[in-house]
Amino acid sequence: MCGIVGLVGRGEAAPRILDALRRLEYRGYDSAGIATLVDGRIDRRRAEGKLFNLANVLGADPLPGSLGIGHTRWATHGAPTERNAHPHGTARVAVVHNGIIENHAELKRELQALGQVFETETDTETFARLMDQLLQEGSTPEQAAAAALKRVHGAFALAMIFAGHPNLLICARQGAPLAVGFGEGEMFVGSDALALAPLTRQIAYLEEGDWAVLDDRSARFFDVADRPVERQVRLTAVSGAATGKGNYRHFMEKELHEHPVVLGDTLTQYLEPTSRRVTLPPLPFDPVTVPRLTMTACGSAFLAAMVGRYWIERLARIPVDADVASEFRYRDPPLADGGAAILVSQSGETADTMAALRLLREHRQKVLSVVNVAESSMARESDATVLTVAGPEIGVASTKAFTAQLAVLACIAIGLGRARGHVSATDEAKLTMALLELPSNAALVLDQDAEIRAMADEVAKARDVMFLGRGTLFPIAMEGALKLKEISYIHAEGYAAGEMKHGPIALIDGAVPVISLCPSGPLFEKTASNLQEAAARGGRIMAFTDDLGAERLSAFAERVVVLPRVGAFAAPVLHAIAVQLLAYQVAVLKGGDVDQPRNLAKSVTVE
Ligand code: F6R
């Protein structure tokens, strides 16, 4: 969480830092700020809330200077006020920070005893005052940075500038991503390559524990032991071009409408349409001998992993454990010798999933990651990566990246099943055909906009909503509930349909919409019975189904949205799009901030 940017070079820094922060606003939007060096002195502008507030402040009171740092905040320590907005610092140093400095309380006490007076409740100010103290005691900025970085614990990315040093920017990374960009007579630093995309595509990533000293022409990198190191400069594939909203009202709407293209682009990477075979990149484990797989991720990515678990167990007959990363890492699970793991993440930076990755590797598990950002920390630290080809996802609520994850996991399940002899060539042809038809079927789901909008009209009035599904539709029911909570702030639960009678049925009354994901197929009758149980208790039944299911459900459901009939394998992907669209419609009706819902951030780089 939080996005940081820095620039040392030519021309006005503040407008370009502000522009780069716009591409990082998905990481947090509680407050924002920029500091520059003006005539050798540090000056700053800050504002509570979203970036446009900072833009207004800068419009009224511009900030000159060609060296600067900027920050967009997702508050961890201290309320989201202007006072707690970054950059923090003193007359000597200004600091922006993403992450958490865990030992801030003890450092603060030590610094207060030395006479430092704190102005904010942030953990970041501790680092700034520690730097100030070292500078006061005679250290150079480099010496101070080297010493201060050894005193702080936690996960962070930092960038700082110094009074009297118009050509110096120091940055550091431990547990949070940071990229250094190389320009023509200018150097940049940013939380990701997307932030720097219009400025440069020549990027070097800091590795764990690295810090770097930048001037307008070069970067010197040091490792955790302060040894000078080389870090590879690569041409990033990330482009700033694809980040506009086009004619859509929200990024989320645009991203929902990108489903057909994204599914097509992702599937064609891993499916050969003429032979109808799956073609995966080399896996880091032997699918025939692997005794067990661990799947872990957070939020929606975890729900995609749950669907993947159903598919892999069914098609490849490999036992799979699926756990949210924040639980997995502290559960101390016994991991089989020769075991492997599949991690799922859009950003490839989520702190809990990254921690799980490192734990898995410590336990000699081979790690395959399904990520959307090829240059992410997760992609770089995994044994192998299968990319989703979703393009940048800006809306905080994941949509197209989620279905792209499903598409990749479906291909992995088929590939593993074939390698283990459980999926015949004929089965493979049928399964891949169902996947290859997903892009056109996704477009048909989007065409149900008006029907879904009619359902949304009802759902928007509810205080509580229940989503039900069975099998692979159970995680999608949870995805529907998660999306609704996230962007419309309506309380929602996603339940396994068969589990409802063991408790949640007590909640059913005429005010609670029960939205079932109920395509025709082997589990249809069972789910339909559960729905009738709810209807018998006055529940308001609404359903996503297909033409066959609609005949039966229309008898007692208040609303039925008919999706393409695609068979059990592809159904979760289409239902995911439908519930995402529903959540979007409800959020628009309720007038919420669809792309930047309260309290959330897109890339969760704190535990
Ligand atoms: C929900 C959502 C989040 C993310 C989660 C993991 O709409 O977007 O739940 O899925 O924060 O993020 P990644 O996939 O970047 O690891």
Side-chain angles (χ1 to χ4, degrees):
M1 344 282 274
C2 300
I4 68 174
V5 180
L7 189 156
V8 47
R10 302 176 299 182
E12 296 261 295
R16 289 184 297 158
I17 291 175
L18 184 69
D19 187 51
L21 289 176
R22 287 199 177 98
R23 283 184 297 283
L24 288 177
E25 206 177 8
Y26 71 87
R27 300 173 79 97
Y29 30 82
D30 286 331
S31 66
I34 294 178
T36 60
L37 218 62
V38 184
D39 299 329
R41 278 175 303 141
I42 292 168
D43 199 358
R44 65 179 174 178
R45 306 281 180 274
R46 301 178 300 162
E48 191 176 318
K50 296 192 176 174
L51 268 177
F52 60 77
N53 294 339
L54 178 65
N56 289 340
V57 169
L58 285 165
D61 191 7
L63 195 55
S66 58
L67 167 69
I69 50 178
H71 188 268
T72 178
R73 180 170 188 237
W74 186 83
T76 60
H77 292 62
T81 56
E82 184 183 332
R83 193 161 56 93
N84 287 330
H86 299 220
H88 292 295
T90 65
R92 292 182 186 83
V93 59
V95 177
V96 287
H97 165 221
N98 162 31
I100 294 178
I101 292 168
E102 287 171 359
N103 57 335
H104 65 97
E106 97 196 36
L107 284 173
K108 185 171 178 176
R109 278 193 297 276
E110 182 184 321
L111 289 160
Q112 281 171 327
L114 292 169
Q116 290 281 350
V117 179
F118 282 71
E119 290 167 2
T120 76
E121 294 103 54
T122 64
D123 52 334
T124 309
E125 192 186 356
T126 315
F127 186 83
R129 294 210 169 263
L130 177 58
M131 285 294 296
D132 184 83
Q133 187 65 32
L134 292 161
L135 293 166
Q136 260 187 65
E137 289 167 6
S139 297
T140 64
E142 266 182 56
Q143 289 165 339
L149 288 167
K150 286 180 193 57
R151 299 289 320 277
V152 285
H153 308 152
F156 49 78
L158 291 156
M160 45 199 146
I161 58 174
F162 304 87
H165 294 268
N167 195 19
L168 175 67
L169 189 154
I170 297 184
C171 58
R173 169 210 163 131
Q174 178 176 302
L178 202 59
V180 168
F182 292 71
E184 298 281 319
E186 299 192 287
M187 294 290 292
F188 314 100
V189 60
S191 293
D192 66 22
L194 185 63
L196 304 183
L199 300 169
T200 181
R201 294 179 71 185
Q202 307 267 356
I203 298 286
Y205 288 96
L206 268 67
E207 292 182 10
E208 274 304 279
D210 278 0
W211 58 287
V213 180
L214 274 55
D215 60 29
D216 57 358
R217 291 182 191 269
S218 64
R220 285 180 289 129
F221 294 92
F222 301 92
D223 69 8
V224 70
D226 302 335
R227 287 179 297 240
V229 281
E230 294 292 321
R231 293 295 171 232
Q232 190 197 343
V233 182
R234 37 183 131 200
L235 192 63
T236 170
V238 176
S239 129
T243 52
K245 258 191 284 208
N247 291 328
Y248 292 98
R249 285 168 295 175
H250 302 103
F251 278 107
M252 187 175 176
E253 185 183 32
K254 172 174 174 255
E255 288 160 4
L256 278 162
H257 284 269
E258 284 171 0
H259 268 118
V261 172
V262 164
L263 285 168
D265 288 352
T266 301
L267 287 166
T268 47
Q269 295 291 310
Y270 310 114
L271 289 185
E272 173 40 60
T274 38
S275 63
R276 303 221 196 129
R277 278 179 70 98
V278 163
T279 51
L280 295 174
L283 298 177
F285 56 89
D286 181 348
V288 180
T289 56
V290 70
R292 199 170 190 91
L293 284 173
T294 300
M295 296 186 76
T296 188
C298 299
S300 285
F302 170 69
L303 300 175
M306 269 182 81
V307 177
R309 173 197 194 180
Y310 279 85
W311 282 333
I312 292 171
E313 290 196 330
R314 167 154 304 185
L315 295 177
R317 314 305 301 156
I318 304 174
V320 180
D321 295 312
D323 237 338
V324 286
S326 53
E327 286 300 312
F328 170 77
R329 48 186 298 210
Y330 298 113
R331 195 163 58 84
D332 194 17
L335 295 166
D337 279 348
I342 301 180
L343 306 190
V344 185
S345 175
Q346 187 283 125
S347 62
E349 302 294 351
T350 300
D352 284 314
T353 316
M354 279 303 297
L357 187 162
R358 290 173 186 144
L359 184 78
L360 284 157
R361 294 199 53 165
E362 268 168 36
H363 286 79
R364 293 183 303 283
Q365 305 291 294
K366 290 292 182 191
V367 176
L368 175 69
S369 62
V370 176
V371 297
N372 195 40
V373 183
E375 293 150 17
S376 59
S377 307
M378 215 171 287
R380 284 180 285 127
E381 290 189 32
S382 298
D383 295 297
T385 299
V386 189
L387 289 175
T388 49
V389 191
E393 192 179 63
I394 307 294
V396 162
S398 187
T399 51
K400 59 176 181 166
F402 176 79
T403 46
Q405 287 160 355
L406 293 180
V408 164
L409 292 168
C411 292
I412 292 175
I414 298 171
L416 295 178
R418 187 185 66 215
R420 290 169 67 90
H422 295 294
V423 170
S424 67
T426 323
D427 295 337
E428 185 172 5
K430 273 195 209 139
L431 294 167
T432 53
M433 200 55 220
L435 296 180
L436 288 166
E437 286 171 355
L438 275 174
S440 54
N441 283 323
L444 294 175
V445 175
L446 295 168
D447 286 347
Q448 294 300 308
D449 201 55
E451 297 297 312
I452 293 175
R453 162 75 204 255
M455 192 190 277
D457 281 336
E458 296 307 315
V459 175
K461 294 176 210 148
R463 210 187 55 184
D464 304 288
V465 177
M466 195 176 296
F467 286 80
L468 299 178
R470 273 179 189 260
T472 52
L473 275 308
F474 163 41
I476 304 300
M478 291 202 277
E479 165 69 359
L482 176 63
K483 239 36 8 142
L484 192 68
K485 281 188 273 216
E486 246 183 315
I487 57 173
S488 71
Y489 315 141
I490 295 176
H491 169 245
E493 300 281 348
Y495 252 90
E499 188 66 9
M500 188 188 61
K501 56 189 173 292
H502 298 289
I505 199 165
L507 296 173
I508 304 284
D509 63 19
V512 180
V514 178
I515 302 176
S516 86
L517 314 184
C518 192
S520 63
L523 299 175
F524 177 82
E525 280 305 331
K526 300 267 177 227
T527 311
S529 302
N530 300 137
L531 295 178
Q532 277 186 314
E533 290 154 16
R537 285 155 180 86
R540 300 178 61 188
I541 310 301
M542 305 188 186
F544 290 102
T545 182
D546 51 33
D547 54 344
L548 284 184
E551 279 175 32
R552 167 101 153 72
L553 299 179
S554 300
F556 58 91
E558 182 179 321
R559 294 212 168 265
V560 175
V561 175
V562 181
L563 305 180
R565 190 180 348 140
V566 289
F569 189 51
V573 183
L574 297 190
H575 280 73
I577 299 171
V579 294
Q580 290 171 352
L581 189 52
L582 174 69
Y584 172 75
Q585 301 281 26
V586 174
V588 171
L589 284 168
K590 296 203 71 156
D593 191 340
V594 176
D595 286 331
Q596 296 181 330
R598 70 184 178 210
N599 304 340
L600 289 171
K602 181 101 188 131
S603 181
V604 184
T605 55
V606 293
E607 284 182 42

